[in-house]
Amino acid sequence: MQVLESNAGHPRAEARLGGSDADRGDWIAHKFGGSSLADASCVRRVGRLLEQLSGQRQVIVVSAMGGVTDALLALTHSAAGRDPGWPAAFSQLRDRHLRACNELLAEAAEESNAWLVLQFAQLEAMLQAIAVLGVAGREALEHIQGLGECYSAQLLCAHLRSGEQSVDCLDAREVLVVGDGDLGVTVDWEQTGSRLAEWRLQHDAPRVVVTGFIARDAAGRPTILGRNGSDFSGAIFAALFEAGELHIWTDVDGILSADPRLVPEAVPLPSLSYHEAFELAYFGARVIHPQTLTPVLARNVPVLIRNTFNPDFPGTRITADSRPSAAPVKALTLCAQMAMLNVEGAAMIGVPGTAQRVFDALRRADISVVMITQGSSEQSICCIVREAESARAQSALQAAFEPELQRGQIQAVTLATGLSVLAAVGDGMAGTPGVAARLFGALAHARVNVRAIAQGGSERNISVAIESRDAERALRAAHASFWLSPQTISIGVIGSGKVAAALLGQLTDAIPRLRRDSRLDLRIRGLCNSRAMVLDALGANAGDAVGRLRESTLACDLEQFAAHVHTDHLPHAIIIDCSASDEVASHYATWLGNGIHVVTPNKQAGAGPLHRYQEIREASDHSGARFRYEATVGAGLPVIQTLRDLIDTGDVLQSIEGVFSGTLAWLFNRFDGSRPFSELVREALDLGYTEPDPRDDLSGTDVARKLVILAREAGLPVSIGEVEVESLVPEALAGATSAQFMQRLAEADAAMNARLERARRNGQVLRYVARLDSQGAASVGLAEVGPEHAFANLRLTDNIVQFTTRRYSGNPLVVQGPGAGPDVTAAGVFADLLRVSAALGARL
């Protein structure tokens, strides 16, 4: 039998702890956390799991039952503070273990019960002594903290023996010797290996249950390995037993791509490298502790993170080299409660030793630095530290640089609190261009300001300091940007008319497909109209939302509605305005300025007051939030996009002409003299082609608004009052009620017939046409066009737009298709929604 010696601080196997070289690696180490051993049923589950793996030789490291270590620590402090309630808390803790023992072992519980009663009697005596003294020394405190592991190890061992399994129970304090080093707890591998070898001479069972978390120091006094020390114990004993693998059993399906409490869509990672796991562990990823991997790293022992409650799931495998993934970033983690210290002064530029003084001062104050950044100008050094230590850190730096501060050579040592550190981790980041750009782009789209940035030379970690109030939104945005989860967008819909209803129906049908095929998670979280609103996750029932809105008693409040849609826990928000309200349009600039994207078929913003339109554009440009309004002109036709493409590619606009009203297109396609014009208007109203009051279509105002929108898109500052509009509403009927107008509309038939006959004599047809020239002269009205003209051959409710440009001068560019109706208008809005989603990183 040989012992384990140290090799640069890592264990190296010089010989075996029993068995031949043929047995090398046939031990498997298992470590079970407190949630896996929380009560008798959990212990039974662990026993069944180990029995299923009975072909292995097993070293089984256990934590205390869930919550016991905290309870023991609280008991000790209560006794030291002479709190009269500690005896009752002690009794509860003792009864919990005795109850678990009786449930677990039934008739065979007598011996274990007696052992537990004795152990708790000794604990009670210690607590009474502490209560008398009014203080708990470090040795007593650490001894009591580690008792939970002793209790759970004995219970598990007794349970396994009751099944006639050969098991030995090892109190780690018998063999594990540790000390304190500059980098934390260090293992005396030589002495520990020697002690374990001697212990194994007397205990050669193929299963060994070991207490985690506890050890002895060089003087033989009981001590602990620190928080999460049971994981560290698992790695230590995996190394000591030369285990082929270390399985860490917990209550989740492995290491996840993000904290599932913040990102519910986080997914288990099938594999990680040791280095990736180190990075994630340091920045607070759950499941694994930074120290855990150190003992197994030198021996290249695979570590598996598995779920006690879902043992069939393979979990996460941690090895020297992990399997490559499709995305360069494997996981993101968030470290909260951070603060930023900034030492700034022009006198620091080019002065050697300034950084050393900063770090020396923090080291003397026992402050751990999480992140460091320094600009190439050397004018400032920024350190991220834990918020609880930040005031002490600031005082240490002020003292270290007091002479320079007094002379004004250093301007200030400033402190900013309320920060979090977001870290993106992945071996695939190394040598992959654009990773930082994608991360910062995602944060920018989510309106998250970055306070400090750090990236190591290994390129497997990019860390950013951000405001804690933005942290959850930042995490979700970054997680989606690397396609680790669907891109999530919060949506609020305004309006309850036909377009809104059609859009909600289209979304209901498309959302499952978009989530499955494009990893786009559209969440409809609110609906409102001028009277009421529904603030709820409408989800798959979005198609029924209009009915819910009719029943809602919650009055419409656009500020409250926007705040609900722009929730902190979702990275992106879009308001879709399907109303025709000028009041709603007046909120666009504010919403865009706050980072809420706006999609709308509402023409009030694009054709309303010029100063308001300019404010909307400025707010969008400043915040980066998108303002999309394609459906304001041609419903589902790509009219605005075509115009933008022409202008953006350097073409010069000469004129725009078009038939922009599906209603008027239908009327003049049908108006051939065989039926009176008034009769056609009534038919169009019955078919739903017109607004409830047909004068809204016949007045030409709607067409004029569309022309103004196109003019402004072309860079021409045209207002609605500057458009020459020919109304088809007789002046005598302008002030009548809607019913009166329809009754008297026949009064206009003679004039319309006269216009038709004149056009026929000229060999032409009537069309209601909008025109804009390059100087901004705009008009809409009834025009005669020849049979060869594109406008003469429209079908039904077709819209048509003709762009004459420098490139398309002899043969104008024409966009034609259905330009009216709730379904095509909703489709145009939906298309704009998807364009915004794509700009935010959705794979479309």
Side-chain angles (χ1 to χ4, degrees), residues 176-503:
L176 182 54
V177 180
V178 300
D180 289 326
D182 290 338
L183 298 179
V185 174
T186 61
V187 178
D188 185 335
W189 293 104
E190 182 174 1
Q191 188 176 170
T192 299
S194 178
R195 285 171 175 258
L196 181 58
E198 292 176 8
W199 187 88
R200 282 293 289 165
L201 286 173
Q202 305 298 321
H203 307 83
D204 60 355
R207 284 185 177 168
V208 179
V209 177
V210 184
T211 56
F213 185 54
I214 58 178
R216 286 193 182 273
D217 63 19
R221 294 172 301 214
T223 187
I224 57 175
L225 301 183
R227 281 299 189 187
N228 297 297
S230 292
D231 285 351
F232 191 22
S233 298
I236 291 169
F237 282 97
L240 289 168
F241 279 81
E242 296 183 346
E245 292 179 342
L246 168 60
H247 295 232
I248 297 179
W249 296 90
T250 179
D251 55 2
V252 294
D253 287 334
I255 297 178
L256 303 184
S257 56
D259 187 337
R261 296 169 298 182
L262 303 178
V263 184
E265 302 85 4
V267 295
L269 301 173
S271 66
L272 286 174
S273 70
Y274 289 128
H275 295 296
E276 288 172 327
F278 275 135
E279 297 280 4
L280 290 171
Y282 179 77
F283 282 98
R286 296 183 66 204
V287 179
I288 195 164
H289 187 269
Q291 261 185 325
T292 298
L293 296 176
T294 307
V296 295
L297 177 62
R299 296 189 67 253
N300 198 21
V301 177
V303 179
L304 286 80
I305 311 298
R306 301 180 66 183
N307 190 345
T308 310
F309 305 94
N310 186 19
D312 293 332
F313 192 83
T316 301
R317 186 178 184 87
I318 305 172
T319 57
D321 297 304
S322 69
R323 292 193 296 267
S325 62
V329 170
K330 275 196 175 177
L332 295 110
T333 186
L334 198 61
C335 203
Q337 298 179 331
M338 294 289 166
M340 182 170 67
L341 286 162
N342 195 46
V343 182
E344 186 171 358
M348 295 167 56
I349 300 175
V351 178
T354 304
Q356 180 185 358
R357 291 175 64 189
V358 169
F359 301 131
D360 277 349
L362 295 176
R363 182 186 62 82
R364 289 193 299 271
D366 197 27
I367 304 294
S368 175
V369 177
V370 175
M371 262 178 64
I372 307 162
T373 65
Q374 181 178 14
S376 58
S377 70
E378 302 183 52
Q379 186 174 345
S380 68
I381 297 176
C382 167
C383 301
I384 305 297
V385 300
R386 303 196 182 278
E387 193 169 65
E389 302 172 340
S390 60
R392 181 157 48 91
Q394 184 182 30
S395 297
L397 290 176
Q398 288 172 334
F401 290 96
E402 184 177 3
E404 289 84 355
L405 286 166
Q406 290 181 348
R407 292 193 296 267
Q409 292 174 303
I410 288 180
Q411 277 67 57
V413 178
T414 58
L415 173 65
T417 57
L419 301 181
S420 294
V421 172
L422 173 67
V425 174
D427 286 341
M429 295 165 61
T432 302
V435 176
R438 195 189 299 183
L439 173 62
F440 297 129
L443 297 180
H445 287 315
R447 299 276 294 161
V448 175
N449 182 48
V450 175
R451 299 290 300 274
I453 305 164
Q455 180 177 11
S458 70
E459 298 185 66
R460 65 170 56 93
N461 181 323
I462 299 177
S463 300
V464 295
I466 56 179
E467 300 287 345
S468 290
R469 64 174 177 267
D470 298 329
E472 187 174 347
R473 188 166 72 255
L475 177 62
R476 294 181 70 106
H479 196 265
S481 75
F482 290 104
W483 302 322
L484 301 174
S485 66
Q487 183 65 267
T488 305
I489 299 176
S490 174
I491 296 174
V493 178
I494 298 176
S496 56
K498 295 178 180 178
V499 173
L503 175 64

Side-chain angles (χ1 to χ4, degrees), residues 582-731:
D582 187 70
E583 166 64 18
V584 175
S586 69
H587 288 76
Y588 289 2
T590 300
W591 293 340
L592 290 163
N594 291 333
I596 303 173
H597 308 275
V598 175
V599 173
T600 185
N602 183 353
K603 292 177 277 292
Q604 297 293 342
L610 183 60
H611 70 88
R612 185 174 70 185
Y613 172 79
Q614 292 168 338
E615 288 173 356
I616 290 171
R617 302 302 316 197
E618 288 169 4
S620 175
D621 292 343
H622 178 72
S623 70
R626 304 300 176 104
F627 177 44
R628 299 288 310 196
Y629 49 98
E630 180 70 77
T632 57
V633 174
L637 298 178
V639 177
I640 294 175
Q641 187 62 51
T642 300
L643 176 58
R644 285 294 345 147
D645 289 344
L646 292 170
I647 295 171
D648 291 344
T649 57
D651 206 348
V652 178
L653 183 69
Q654 295 174 354
S655 68
I656 299 174
E657 294 181 295
V659 174
F660 293 159
S661 168
T663 301
L664 295 176
W666 185 88
L667 285 171
F668 287 101
N669 282 335
R670 301 293 300 277
F671 184 43
D672 58 4
S674 62
R675 297 170 63 189
F677 187 74
S678 60
E679 186 177 320
L680 291 174
V681 172
R682 289 190 184 91
E683 183 179 350
L685 176 62
D686 293 339
L687 292 172
Y689 290 162
T690 73
E691 295 296 328
D693 186 339
R695 284 174 295 185
D696 292 340
D697 299 291
L698 297 175
S699 68
T701 303
D702 187 64
V703 176
R705 289 194 183 105
K706 295 179 180 181
L707 191 62
V708 168
I709 292 170
L710 291 178
R712 291 175 178 178
E713 197 67 34
L716 301 170
V718 175
S719 293
I720 191 73
E722 300 173 81
V723 181
E724 182 181 340
V725 180
E726 178 186 359
S727 174
L728 302 184
V729 178
E731 187 174 345

